């Protein structure tokens, strides 16, 4: 019997699994410039916001800067107001009003803040304008970046970044000028005597402006800004958003100007992609609402210009609501639903908060007092057999004039205070005053007794009463 030999056959190696990429490299967006109503509104907001931001620190109010947040002295100067840390309630009210305003604007018309007034939008628009003036229009910028190294490319890129850095540093300098008097800051810069923290914040804020507006741009809006993520919670089907009308625009296809879209069974959209080219975040609005959309309306301007050249009706892309788009509502019907109960409630609450804050500022007493017990001497017997407690009063003058205040105390029979003369406090300054309260020994039982300090402005109606404790030992 012959024995057979079995030779094993090596199995073929398994096919390599296809590589799956988990990261897609970011493609640079080259926004195309566009003219139109919403583009003009955006530039109007750029001029308005930057006129306020760059100009306000240089405006004087009396003998001081009109808006100054003096953290070292713990005083905020806003027009004619002098606010102390004890006035934090006004800052809280302002933050609540800002948040409610954001809710209101978002409920009415989506991301209006993002599209027109957000600092990221404003500085990106400024940096893009510089880029277009130096490197050319969208096509020229694409060719320049795609081309190899050349002297022209080096000069244009270098000049662009020099201008960008200049704008960014001036922005950082202005920002610090809200916390350090900007004229003093300018002299310190010229004399190379700026403080280390001032230098740090100028460069830090300047670097943030340079990086965000020059390089990150739409990445900030799409990935870093939390507003883009939770905005949908404030939207509903009656919120005005930038919308493409598919019933009118589809099916889309290129065509000549003299072609009748109805006879060719086409929609009004000629698929020119201008709406994509002008978008600062690079989205296609024809795909519906997307969280990346900042509601700037530039695609509306671009589409209207194309519709005008083709002889079609405008507003193929427009501000509309989901309900209005589906039902074909008129402008009157649309606005009737925009002004719905939710919006009216937000408006009423916002009006009440603003009125309350303004009324509180009007009736605000321009005098603040803090009472601190002298812990080195809680209670002691002094000459004449009188019992004495010592306190330290911080009197804060929240006016622009020197004031004189009288201090009186009440709460225990026979209570007397020293000093008895008026206390002078300089304009917008604070002064610590040692006050001694005395009572005849035995006039009050042992224990703690409530007393009140009444601080009154000598030549005015300002008066503040603060409570303290008078100790009588056993």
């Amino acid at each position: 019997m012959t024995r057979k030999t079995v030779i094993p056959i090596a199995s073929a190696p398994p096919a390599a699994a296809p590589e799956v990429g988990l990261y897609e490299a970011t493609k640079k967006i080259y926004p195309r410039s566009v003219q139109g109503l919403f583009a003009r509104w955006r530039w109007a907001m750029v001029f308005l916001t930057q006129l306020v931001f760059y100009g306000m620190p240089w405006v004087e109010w009396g003998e001081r800067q009109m808006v100054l947040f003096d953290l070292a002295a713990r005083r905020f100067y806003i027009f004619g107001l002098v606010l102390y840390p004890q006035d934090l309630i006004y800052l809280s009210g302002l933050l609540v009003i800002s948040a409610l305003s954001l809710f209101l604007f978002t409920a009415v018309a989506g991301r209006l803040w993002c599209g027109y007034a957000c600092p990221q939008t404003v500085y990106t628009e400024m940096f893009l304008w510089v880029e277009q003036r130096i490197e050319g229009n969208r096509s020229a910028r694409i060719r320049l970046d795609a081309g190899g190294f050349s002297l022209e490319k080096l000069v244009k890129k270098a000049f662009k970044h020099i201008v960008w850095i200049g704008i960014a540093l001036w922005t950082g300098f202005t920002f610090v000028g809200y916390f350090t008097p900007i004229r003093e800051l300018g002299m310190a810069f010229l004399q190379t005597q700026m403080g280390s923290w001032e230098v740090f914040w100028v460069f830090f804020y300047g670097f943030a402006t340079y990086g965000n507006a020059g390089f990150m741009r739409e990445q900030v809006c799409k990935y870093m800004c939390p507003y883009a993520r939770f905005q949908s919670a404030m939207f509903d089907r009656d919120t005005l958003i930038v919308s493409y009308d598919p019933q009118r625009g589809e099916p889309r296809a290129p065509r000549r100007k003299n072609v009748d879209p109805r006879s060719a069974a086409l929609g009004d959209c000629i698929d020119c992609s201008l709406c994509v080219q002008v978008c600062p975040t690079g989205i296609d609005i024809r795909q519906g609402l997307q969280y990346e959309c900042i509601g700037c309306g530039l695609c509306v301007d671009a589409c209207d210009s194309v519709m005008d050249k083709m002889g079609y009706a405008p507003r193929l892309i427009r501000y509309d609501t989901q309900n209005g788009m589906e039902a074909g509502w008129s402008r009157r019907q649309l606005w009737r639903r925009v002004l719905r109960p939710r919006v009216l409630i937000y408006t009423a609450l916002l009006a009440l908060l603003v009125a309350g804050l303004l009324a509180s500022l009007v009736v605000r007493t321009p005098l603040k007092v803090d009472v601190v017990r002298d812990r080195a001497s809680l209670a002691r017997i002094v000459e004449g057999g009188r019992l004495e407690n010592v306190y330290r009063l911080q009197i804060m003058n929240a006016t622009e004039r020197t004031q004189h205040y009288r201090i009186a105390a009440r709460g225990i029979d026979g209570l007397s205070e020293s000093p008895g003369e008026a206390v002078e406090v300089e304009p917008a300054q604070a002064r610590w005053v040692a006050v001694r309260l005395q009572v005849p020994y035995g006039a009050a039982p042992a224990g703690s007794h409530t007393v009140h300090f009444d601080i009154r402005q000598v030549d005015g109606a300002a008066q503040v009463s603060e409570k303290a404790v008078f100790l009588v030992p056993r």
Side-chain angles (χ1 to χ4, degrees):
M1 219 174 141
T2 306
R3 197 170 182 182
K4 296 182 179 180
T5 303
V6 179
I7 301 176
I9 300 175
S11 58
E19 183 177 350
V20 179
L22 300 179
Y23 173 76
E24 181 181 2
T26 301
K27 298 178 180 178
K28 184 176 179 180
I29 295 175
Y30 298 86
R32 186 189 188 107
S33 60
V34 63
Q35 302 294 325
L37 174 64
F38 299 107
R40 290 193 294 271
W41 268 110
R42 280 167 60 86
W43 274 109
M45 291 304 299
V46 169
F47 283 115
L48 177 61
T49 55
Q50 298 317 292
L51 180 65
V52 172
F53 176 73
Y54 289 124
M56 192 170 290
W58 297 96
V59 180
E60 292 189 350
W61 185 279
E63 297 181 356
R64 62 167 174 81
Q65 190 170 309
M66 186 170 67
V67 177
L68 177 63
F69 306 108
D70 193 343
L71 298 180
R74 299 181 181 179
R75 275 181 285 278
F76 293 171
Y77 302 93
I78 305 174
F79 300 98
L81 290 174
V82 181
L83 302 178
Y84 285 85
Q86 290 82 352
D87 296 311
L88 184 64
I89 185 64
Y90 297 113
L91 176 60
S92 302
L94 184 61
L95 292 177
V96 171
I97 289 172
S98 300
L100 194 57
S101 300
L102 186 64
F103 296 161
L104 172 62
F105 298 150
T106 304
V108 172
R111 297 177 67 178
L112 284 180
W113 166 259
C114 295
Y116 295 91
C118 174
Q120 178 65 20
T121 295
V122 168
Y123 288 110
T124 297
E125 195 75 8
M126 293 168 58
F127 276 45
L128 272 173
W129 182 85
V130 171
E131 187 174 82
Q132 291 168 1
R133 289 297 177 274
I134 296 175
E135 296 184 0
N137 59 23
R138 181 175 184 269
S139 301
R141 299 200 305 275
I142 293 175
R143 288 195 303 270
L144 185 67
D145 285 351
F149 177 80
S150 65
L151 180 60
E152 177 190 11
K153 185 174 184 177
L154 176 64
V155 170
K156 287 185 175 181
K157 292 290 183 180
F159 185 41
K160 178 186 73 174
H161 285 281
I162 289 172
V163 177
W164 279 2
I165 292 172
I167 295 174
L169 289 178
W170 181 250
T171 302
F173 177 84
T174 303
F175 174 76
V176 176
Y178 279 93
F179 301 90
T180 300
I182 198 165
R183 298 173 191 275
E184 298 177 10
L185 186 66
M187 290 301 299
F189 170 75
L190 294 176
Q191 298 171 0
T192 64
Q193 296 178 352
M194 287 177 61
S196 57
W197 279 109
E198 293 166 344
V199 173
F200 169 79
W201 283 110
V202 167
F203 279 95
F204 179 85
Y205 199 82
F207 175 76
T209 304
Y210 176 67
N212 290 343
F215 299 94
M216 302 182 69
R217 293 182 180 172
E218 75 284 350
Q219 306 300 318
V220 175
C221 301
K222 292 166 65 174
Y223 305 118
M224 296 175 61
C225 177
Y227 183 40
R229 300 295 178 175
F230 68 76
Q231 62 166 338
S232 58
M234 293 180 280
F235 279 23
D236 58 29
R237 295 183 62 84
D238 290 311
T239 297
L240 283 168
I241 55 177
V242 178
S243 307
Y244 166 73
D245 189 350
Q247 297 179 359
R248 177 185 156 192
E250 299 298 328
R252 69 184 83 146
R255 84 289 305 263
R256 295 182 181 274
K257 182 177 179 179
N258 55 0
V259 172
D260 181 13
R262 302 298 172 260
S263 61
L266 296 174
D268 284 356
C269 179
I270 66 171
D271 203 18
C272 62
S273 76
L274 278 181
C275 57
V276 181
Q277 295 178 29
V278 301
C279 180
T281 58
I283 65 171
D284 189 345
I285 195 62
R286 296 171 296 181
Q287 296 177 2
L289 178 63
Q290 298 148 71
Y291 79 89
E292 297 95 339
C293 177
I294 62 174
C296 63
L298 295 182
C299 54
V300 179
D301 288 337
C303 188
D304 280 353
S305 67
V306 174
M307 294 296 103
D308 181 61
K309 293 177 181 177
M310 296 296 295
Y312 300 163
R315 297 300 189 259
L316 174 61
I317 301 175
R318 60 184 181 272
Y319 277 98
D320 209 330
T321 67
Q322 289 178 285
N323 285 334
M325 184 76 73
E326 294 173 1
W329 286 347
S330 65
R331 279 293 170 191
R332 185 173 182 179
Q333 292 173 308
L334 192 67
W335 280 105
R336 189 179 299 165
R337 282 299 304 159
V338 167
L339 302 176
R340 56 200 180 278
R342 175 184 176 185
V343 172
L344 297 178
I345 291 173
Y346 281 159
T347 305
L349 289 175
L350 184 60
L352 287 174
L353 285 172
V354 171
L357 182 63
L358 292 177
S360 178
L361 287 172
V362 169
V363 302
R364 164 178 168 269
T365 301
L367 170 63
K368 304 291 178 184
V369 178
D370 283 339
V371 179
V372 180
R373 287 191 56 84
D374 188 349
R375 299 189 179 277
S377 176
L378 297 181
R380 61 186 178 183
I381 303 295
V382 296
E383 294 182 3
R386 298 176 67 85
L387 182 64
E388 180 181 83
N389 282 204
V390 181
Y391 305 82
R392 297 179 68 236
L393 271 63
Q394 184 185 35
I395 303 176
M396 290 165 276
N397 178 11
T399 69
E400 301 285 346
R401 302 189 307 273
T402 300
Q403 300 291 352
H404 295 81
Y405 303 98
R406 291 195 179 278
I407 302 172
R410 54 185 170 83
I412 303 176
D413 292 337
L415 185 66
S416 63
E417 66 280 340
S418 176
E421 66 274 7
V423 176
E424 180 180 286
V425 183
E426 296 295 324
Q429 296 296 322
R431 177 178 174 183
W432 286 96
V433 179
V435 179
R436 299 188 298 274
L437 296 187
Q438 298 179 356
V439 297
Y441 188 77
S448 60
H449 302 268
T450 300
V451 294
H452 294 270
F453 287 96
D454 296 325
I455 298 87
R456 179 176 57 85
Q457 187 175 319
V458 173
D459 56 350
Q463 179 173 330
V464 171
S465 181
E466 289 291 334
K467 184 169 63 174
V469 174
F470 189 94
L471 297 179
V472 178
R474 296 184 184 278

